[in-house]
């Protein structure tokens, strides 16, 4: 971002965690100035949420956008039902001149605890370093990518969203060099770097006490690419409805 003015404005995104971002002052910004995150539990108390919107409406300019959050499971029909719970509140946001954005609360880093095993095949799940399947979506599974695109398309269409944020659980591993070790991801990794390592060989080198190993850097870059593959599927879903989201 090029900052043409030394004065900065602060954007606070409130929810279970707090994020801060900065935008340059001096030119009109295409982004909302203040965004408040409303998790999915908000729809269980619609009367209270109406009071919250009314409070914002009494102070024009205090809030520009609400994130109306949704999760990624266990099926498109279930997700559609959850999104529909927000819909009666949209006219209240319009009347208060507050736009609707959203946050997808389950992507890759949270266990898909509400994902019905009957909805997704074994091909949808990540594989750990020992070869066991995890209830975490594989970011390169065609099944998962198609589901993500359809999910975001439905969210944008149902709620007339102006923005979509993929939650900060869009990650693959924490402190260690984890990731998906399924056959598909291993094959893609080997193709990317002209290698022929097995899962066992990859894990052994990731865990090696050698201070430097080019393979670790390659694996980290590959994980970043996997995140981009998943995010691109979300982008495709939004583009079907509103490319300016």
């Amino acid at each position: 971002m090029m900052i043409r003015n030394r004065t900065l404005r602060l954007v606070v995104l409130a929810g279970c965690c707090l994020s801060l971002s900065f935008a340059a002052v001096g030119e009109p910004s295409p982004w909302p100035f203040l965004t408040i995150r409303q998790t999915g539990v908000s729809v269980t108390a619609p009367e209270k949420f109406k009071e919250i919107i009314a409070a914002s409406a009494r102070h024009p300019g205090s809030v520009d956008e609400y994130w109306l959050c949704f999760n990624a499971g266990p099926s498109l029909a279930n997700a559609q039902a959850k999104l529909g719970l927000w819909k009666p509140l949209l006219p209240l946001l319009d009347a208060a001149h507050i736009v609707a954005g959203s946050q997808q609360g389950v992507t890759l880093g949270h266990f898909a605890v509400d994902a019905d095993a009957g909805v997704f095949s074994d091909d949808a799940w990540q594989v750990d370093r020992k070869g066991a399947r995890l209830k975490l979506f594989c970011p390169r599974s065609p099944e998962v990518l198609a589901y993500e695109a359809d999910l975001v398309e439905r969210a944008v269409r149902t709620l007339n969203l102006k923005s979509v944020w993929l939650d900060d659980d869009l990650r693959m591993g924490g402190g260690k060099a984890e990731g998906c070790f399924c056959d598909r991801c291993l094959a893609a990794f080997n193709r990317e770097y002209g290698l022929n390592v097995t899962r066992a060989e990859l894990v052994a080198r990731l865990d090696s006490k050698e201070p430097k190993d080019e393979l670790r850097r390659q694996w980290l870059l590959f994980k970043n690419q996997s995140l981009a593959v998943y995010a691109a599927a979300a982008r495709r879903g939004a583009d079907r409805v509103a490319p300016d989201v």
Side-chain angles (χ1 to χ4, degrees):
M1 178 183 70
M2 292 182 61
I3 299 177
R4 296 188 176 90
N5 189 306
R6 298 183 68 181
T7 303
L8 296 178
R9 69 183 187 182
L10 182 63
V11 183
V12 180
L13 310 178
C16 64
C17 55
L18 187 67
S19 300
L20 302 179
S21 61
F22 297 90
V25 172
E27 296 181 4
S29 171
W31 299 104
F33 181 75
L34 183 61
T35 298
I36 293 181
R37 171 184 171 186
Q38 297 291 343
T39 64
V41 72
S42 298
V43 296
T44 64
E47 296 306 315
K48 180 59 64 178
F49 190 54
K50 290 176 183 178
E51 293 179 21
I52 295 172
I53 298 174
S56 299
R58 287 195 296 272
H59 301 278
S62 62
V63 180
D64 296 301
E65 180 185 54
Y66 275 116
W67 278 347
L68 310 178
C69 300
F70 65 96
N71 287 339
S75 66
L76 285 174
N78 186 279
Q80 183 71 59
K82 293 178 181 177
L83 290 167
L85 297 176
W86 288 114
K87 202 165 183 179
L89 301 169
L90 296 181
L92 299 177
L93 291 178
D94 289 340
H97 303 290
I98 298 171
V99 301
S102 196
Q103 174 233 349
Q104 181 184 327
V106 174
T107 52
L108 301 177
H110 284 314
F111 281 89
V113 292
D114 61 348
D116 185 345
V119 174
F120 300 97
S121 73
D122 286 346
D123 187 62
W125 309 115
Q126 290 185 35
V127 170
D128 68 14
R129 54 178 51 211
K130 295 181 180 180
R133 292 205 175 273
L134 303 171
K135 281 301 181 73
L136 295 168
F137 287 131
C138 170
R140 292 176 181 264
S141 164
E143 182 180 352
V144 169
L145 298 177
Y147 181 79
E148 176 64 15
D150 289 345
L151 181 68
V152 172
E153 177 185 2
R154 288 183 180 228
V156 173
R157 189 185 307 279
T158 301
L159 302 180
N160 189 29
L161 298 178
K162 303 303 180 186
S163 69
V164 175
W165 177 51
L166 300 179
D167 191 35
D168 56 7
D169 78 336
L170 186 68
R171 57 182 180 262
M172 298 193 69
K176 293 185 178 181
E178 297 293 335
C180 181
F181 295 84
C182 73
D183 291 342
R184 175 181 44 248
C185 286
L186 284 173
F189 176 66
N190 280 321
R191 284 195 306 271
E192 179 70 22
Y193 293 102
L195 303 172
N196 190 30
V197 296
T198 66
R199 182 184 299 116
E201 290 168 342
L202 174 60
V203 169
R205 288 178 63 178
L206 292 176
D207 289 346
S208 168
K209 295 186 182 300
E210 289 295 321
K212 291 185 179 181
D213 188 333
E214 176 66 7
L215 189 74
R216 292 195 190 104
R217 186 185 71 86
Q218 293 169 335
W219 184 244
L220 289 171
L221 291 174
F222 180 75
K223 291 197 302 179
N224 290 345
Q225 293 166 359
S226 296
L227 298 183
V229 168
Y230 183 90
R235 178 73 259 173
R236 286 194 296 274
D239 284 345
R240 295 173 188 168
V241 184
D244 61 337
V245 164

